[in-house]
Amino acid sequence: MSLCHRAEAAGAARRATAVVLADWQLADDAAEAVVLVVSELVTNAVEHGQPPLTLLLRHPSGHGHSGVRIEVSDGGPASRPGAWASSCDADERGRGLGIVEALASSHGFRAQPHRTTYWAALPSS
């Protein structure tokens, strides 16, 4: 899913994710965790990355596969923080990746020229 590189992207991503997770019939607690992680990763991409912004959700099935994989890609690091991050004191921001770490079974990033992808894997139950 392509997202506009604006603050509203997090809300659009949450709504789209909720629809997909309902279609996958994900348990409510697991769905809430996935939506929160999507929101945090998209917000970080808007505040600290360049366009374009994309969201990918995967729900692999089969032997040894369960859970949801989230990938949020941006156009690489921005030269300066976004409007929200710039307007906050240091103690008012910076909790997003801690939330991701607490909810995800694993997470990380891949950096390529002109593209950074942050990913997280969460259990589906």
Side-chain angles (χ1 to χ4, degrees), residues 3-124:
L3 298 165
C4 292
H5 193 267
R6 297 189 307 236
E8 297 83 12
R14 284 191 301 270
R15 289 186 296 278
T17 298
V19 169
V20 170
L21 299 179
D23 186 50
W24 290 345
Q25 299 178 350
L26 211 66
D28 288 345
D29 288 349
E32 288 176 16
V34 170
V35 169
L36 180 55
V37 169
V38 164
S39 185
E40 293 298 334
L41 292 179
V42 169
T43 298
N44 283 349
V46 169
E47 289 299 314
H48 303 290
Q50 299 182 72
L53 179 58
T54 60
L55 167 65
L56 175 67
L57 300 172
R58 292 188 191 154
H59 187 41
S61 59
H63 181 69
H65 296 285
S66 67
V68 175
R69 183 174 173 98
I70 303 160
E71 294 187 9
V72 174
S73 297
D74 60 41
S79 59
R80 60 180 191 216
W84 181 81
S86 297
S87 70
C88 297
D89 290 333
D91 63 343
E92 294 180 90
R93 55 184 163 80
R95 296 179 188 93
L97 289 180
I99 291 169
V100 172
E101 188 170 278
L103 295 173
S105 53
S106 60
H107 67 95
F109 72 97
R110 291 186 312 274
Q112 300 167 320
H114 309 293
R115 182 181 179 101
T116 304
T117 300
Y118 291 88
W119 61 269
L122 281 79
S124 59

